[in-house]
RNA sequence: CGGGGCGUGGCGCAGUCUGGUAGCGCGCCGGUUUUGGGUACCGGAGGCCGCGAGUUCGAAUCUCGCCGCCCCGACCA
């Protein structure tokens, strides 16, 4: 993409409404624009990041065996009356009426809808286990939206639902999600820690929130540093091997890690050596939950078991805050100059800065580099504006592409361009061909 | 929902107390200059001062009502 053909409304000054760094930078970098309180338009640059996060989530969900579908944003109130949640949900649910005066709502979540879909078609124990998920916009009418996309009213969420014949099966589905989530967040360069969450009236110990550690996080968290050092890496996982998946879950849930909601100071001190105790702040980016027959029971979601008798399905639901992740990623990856994207989610793979637009040699070198990278399957962002070097650098730093290739007459005289890492600031001079080759190697293209 | 604050060119703000017909910086347009980290100068364009009533000869400014947005708190992916 060329700057002069793109839509990138960057701001030099910080809009007054933005408090936290991710919100400021998303506005300044032209990623989002507030439509009204807690509701945002995603501008081209922000949308690219959102899509890349979605893509990783899709890949890891499907690798684990979940099946994608797409449910609507608007739902009928009828199903919610069936589960009993229409009255329970409160003011956070946006209730609307259609022209026939029927009660509708903008879905804050989809348990009822998915249960309705599944019960209509699943009749035998052979139809389970299944995991269905979608990535769809949700709406929760928060009393007080804040922190930009991190706490908006409208938000994009991956929500998945598992259906099993019994609790043991459902726990396996739960465990698969935990491991898949760890891998998903690792791919985004995030250190996400599963923390025991409050299960409310359902009880049991099968609810975990995933939090990333960031100084600006909303929740206070207490953890054993040992959990931070764990890494799934790229090891192969046999998703059908219950014991193997359970072992991974045990490994990650062994060390103490709790939010202030479930924190038990006495247990913390007893379980964790003083040198490893950490008190940090965290941002919740995912939540997994086994809830048994909470919806299947009232909604009559049953299948025939091997013995011919009806069995009520055991379910779980699993969420990832996709739009929130964009903000969370920035909270975890930025400096004074702007955003620093991890390579896995960057909107463009590399920026090309032409220091002297209009100089035949510089222009030609940039064009060639642009073509080479594009041909290799990379997406370069070429700043071809007739601007001064300083302005171009400042913009590149702000939007945070992990790599920048600086091309100018001075370097070209010696046959070199400069390849700079946004994260470390280190740069090296090398031929345009070598720079392209290095970028291809970095991205494995 | 309780408490506080703010709505003035695209953005950040001053002007409001002490009514007299709108200003600064950035950005934008044109020109000169400059050119490896937001160059300097000159000349421009752009605002029914959130909306509606009222007071007044006259309202961005005073009064009343409404709308919107932000911050703190309680609540939440």
């Amino acid at each position: 993409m060329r700057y002069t053909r793109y839509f990138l409304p960057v701001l030099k000054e910080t809009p007054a409404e933005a408090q936290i760094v991710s919100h400021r930078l998303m506005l300044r970098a032209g990623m989002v624009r507030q439509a009204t309180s807690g509701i945002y338009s995603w501008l081209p640059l922000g949308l690219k990041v959102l899509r890349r996060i979605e893509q990783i989530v899709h890949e890891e969900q499907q690798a684990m065996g979940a099946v994608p579908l797409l449910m609507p944003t608007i739902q009928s109130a009828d199903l919610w009356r069936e589960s009993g949640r229409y009255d329970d949900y409160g003011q956070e649910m946006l209730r609307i009426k259609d022209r026939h005066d029927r009660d509708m709502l903008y879905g804050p979540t989809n348990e009822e809808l998915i249960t309705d879909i599944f019960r209509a078609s699943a009749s035998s124990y052979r139809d389970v286990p299944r995991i269905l998920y979608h990535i769809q916009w949700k709406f929760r009418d928060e009393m007080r939206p804040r922190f930009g996309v991190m706490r908006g009213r409208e938000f994009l969420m991956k929500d998945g639902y598992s259906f099993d014949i019994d609790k043991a099966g459902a726990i396996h589905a739960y465990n698969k999600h935990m491991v898949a989530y760890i891998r998903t967040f690792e791919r985004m360069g995030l250190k996400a820690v599963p923390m025991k969450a409050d299960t409310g009236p359902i009880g049991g110990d099968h609810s975990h929130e995933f939090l990333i550690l960031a100084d600006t996080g909303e929740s206070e968290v207490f953890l054993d540093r040992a959990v931070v050092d764990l890494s799934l890496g790229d090891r192969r996982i046999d998703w059908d091997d219950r014991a193997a998946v359970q072992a991974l879950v045990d490994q990650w849930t062994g060390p103490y890690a709790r939010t202030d909601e479930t924190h038990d100071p006495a247990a913390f001190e007893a379980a964790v050596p003083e040198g490893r105790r950490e008190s940090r702040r965290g941002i919740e980016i995912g939540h997994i939950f086994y809830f048994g027959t909470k919806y299947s029971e009232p909604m009559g979601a049953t299948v025939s078991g091997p013995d011919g008798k009806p069995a009520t399905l055991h379910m779980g639901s699993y969420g990832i805050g996709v739009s929130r992740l964009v903000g969370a990623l920035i909270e975890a990856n930025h400096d004074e100059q702007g955003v620093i994207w991890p390579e896995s989610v960057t909107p463009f793979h590399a920026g090309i800065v032409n220091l002297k637009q209009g100089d035949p040699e510089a222009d030609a070198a940039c064009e060639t580099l642009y073509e080479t990278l594009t041909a290799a399957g990379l997406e370069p962002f070429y700043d071809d504006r007739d601007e001064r070097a300083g302005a171009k650098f400042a913009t590149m730093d702000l939007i945070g592409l992990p790599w920048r290739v600086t091309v100018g007459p001075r370097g070209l005289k010696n046959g070199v361009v400069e390849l700079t890492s946004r994260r470390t600031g280190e740069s090296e001079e090398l031929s345009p061909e070598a720079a392209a080759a290095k970028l291809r190697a970095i991205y494995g293209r």
Side-chain angles (χ1 to χ4, degrees), chain A residues 216-253:
Chain A
T216 48
E218 289 188 84
S219 326
E220 192 170 12
V221 302
F222 303 86
L223 52 93
D224 180 342
R225 188 180 309 142
V227 73
V228 178
D229 298 327
L230 293 170
S231 170
L232 210 48
D234 52 8
R235 75 182 80 173
R236 274 200 82 244
I237 293 161
D238 179 352
W239 295 102
D240 294 324
D241 185 337
R242 290 191 180 189
V245 174
Q246 181 69 56
L248 288 171
V249 168
D250 290 344
Q251 205 181 337
W252 257 267
T253 56

Side-chain angles (χ1 to χ4, degrees), chain A residues 174 196-208 262 287 289-290:
Chain A
Y174 180 91
K196 198 167 159 49
D198 191 359
T199 51
I202 303 208
D205 57 356
H206 285 92
S207 178
H208 283 84
T262 58
H287 197 162
F289 199 66
Y290 162 72

Side-chain angles (χ1 to χ4, degrees), chain A residues 349-350 373 378 403 405 419 434-444:
Chain A
H349 296 101
L373 293 173
L378 295 172
W403 297 95
V405 185
L419 182 65
K438 179 155 184 183
L439 286 170
R440 291 179 62 172
I442 287 166
Y443 287 105

Side-chain angles (χ1 to χ4, degrees), chain A residues 341-380:
Chain A
W341 292 114
E343 272 119 11
S344 56
V345 298
T346 183
F348 293 96
H349 296 101
I352 301 172
V353 169
N354 186 343
L355 293 176
K356 191 161 187 178
Q357 207 70 40
D359 177 84
E361 290 191 20
D363 288 1
C366 287
E367 291 295 337
T368 302
L369 186 60
Y370 185 87
E371 295 304 327
T372 304
L373 293 173
T374 303
L378 295 172
E379 279 193 280

Side-chain angles (χ1 to χ4, degrees), chain A residues 1-6 8 10 381-385 395:
Chain A
M1 182 56 66
R2 292 160 201 274
Y3 200 123
T4 56
R5 294 182 195 171
Y6 206 49
L8 184 67
V10 299
F381 184 71
Y382 173 22
D383 190 344
D384 58 343
R385 293 174 300 169
T395 301

Side-chain angles (χ1 to χ4, degrees), chain A residues 29-268:
Chain A
M31 295 178 65
V32 291
R33 178 153 183 176
Q34 180 168 305
T36 184
S37 180
I39 301 180
Y40 293 83
S41 294
W42 290 78
L43 304 185
L45 192 74
L47 180 62
K48 282 187 81 77
V49 176
L50 193 66
R51 291 294 184 239
R52 295 208 66 188
I53 292 171
E54 272 188 287
Q55 183 59 32
I56 290 174
V57 172
H58 273 302
E59 287 172 11
E60 294 305 325
Q61 284 294 295
Q62 291 173 43
M64 179 261 289
V67 183
L69 80 167
L70 186 60
M71 290 178 274
T73 54
I74 306 288
Q75 305 178 24
S76 159
D78 292 347
L79 285 174
W80 287 72
R81 292 200 172 97
E82 206 177 326
S83 72
R85 280 209 292 180
Y86 191 66
D87 294 326
D88 294 347
Y89 219 93
Q91 295 295 304
E92 276 189 7
M93 181 149 76
L94 181 64
R95 296 152 202 263
I96 47 190
K97 283 184 187 291
D98 70 7
R99 66 193 301 162
H100 303 294
D101 209 36
R102 283 186 292 238
D103 290 320
M104 313 289 283
L105 57 97
Y106 196 120
T109 176
N110 289 60
E111 279 84 2
E112 283 79 0
L113 207 45
I114 195 75
T115 303
D116 181 52
I117 289 168
F118 200 77
R119 71 178 172 183
S121 312
S123 50
S124 159
Y125 70 93
R126 293 191 182 87
D127 295 324
V128 295
R130 288 290 187 280
I131 298 168
L132 301 175
Y133 80 98
H134 74 343
I135 298 180
Q136 178 62 292
W137 292 93
K138 305 286 188 296
F139 194 92
R140 291 184 192 173
D141 199 357
E142 298 280 343
M143 274 185 253
R144 189 184 159 216
R146 62 186 117 170
F147 306 146
V149 300
M150 299 243 291
R151 180 77 182 279
R153 292 194 291 173
E154 187 183 54
F155 56 98
L156 187 62
M157 177 172 160
K158 188 287 299 189
D159 47 321
Y161 306 89
S162 64
F163 301 89
D164 283 88
I165 192 76
D166 56 17
K167 180 170 180 180
I171 297 306
H172 179 52
Y174 180 91
N175 288 343
K176 284 168 69 175
H177 277 88
M178 180 175 294
V179 176
Y181 276 25
I182 292 165
R183 171 157 286 172
T184 300
F185 298 134
E186 273 188 10
R187 277 187 63 184
M188 295 174 194
L190 292 173
K191 174 53 72 180
V193 181
M195 302 195 187
K196 198 167 159 49
D198 191 359
T199 51
I202 303 208
D205 57 356
H206 285 92
S207 178
H208 283 84
E209 296 176 334
F210 281 78
L211 290 97
I212 60 164
L213 304 177
D215 296 339
T216 48
E218 289 188 84
S219 326
E220 192 170 12
V221 302
F222 303 86
L223 52 93
D224 180 342
R225 188 180 309 142
V227 73
V228 178
D229 298 327
L230 293 170
S231 170
L232 210 48
D234 52 8
R235 75 182 80 173
R236 274 200 82 244
I237 293 161
D238 179 352
W239 295 102
D240 294 324
D241 185 337
R242 290 191 180 189
V245 174
Q246 181 69 56
L248 288 171
V249 168
D250 290 344
Q251 205 181 337
W252 257 267
T253 56
Y256 189 98
R258 303 266 182 106
T259 66
D260 48 6
E261 287 177 346
T262 58
H263 180 53
D264 177 347
F268 188 42

Side-chain angles (χ1 to χ4, degrees), chain A residues 10-37:
Chain A
V10 299
L11 302 172
K12 207 165 181 175
E13 289 173 275
T14 302
E17 75 262 23
Q19 290 301 304
I20 64 165
V21 65
S22 63
H23 191 195
R24 287 204 296 265
L25 290 175
M26 288 182 75
L27 291 169
R28 286 195 54 212
M31 295 178 65
V32 291
R33 178 153 183 176
Q34 180 168 305
T36 184
S37 180

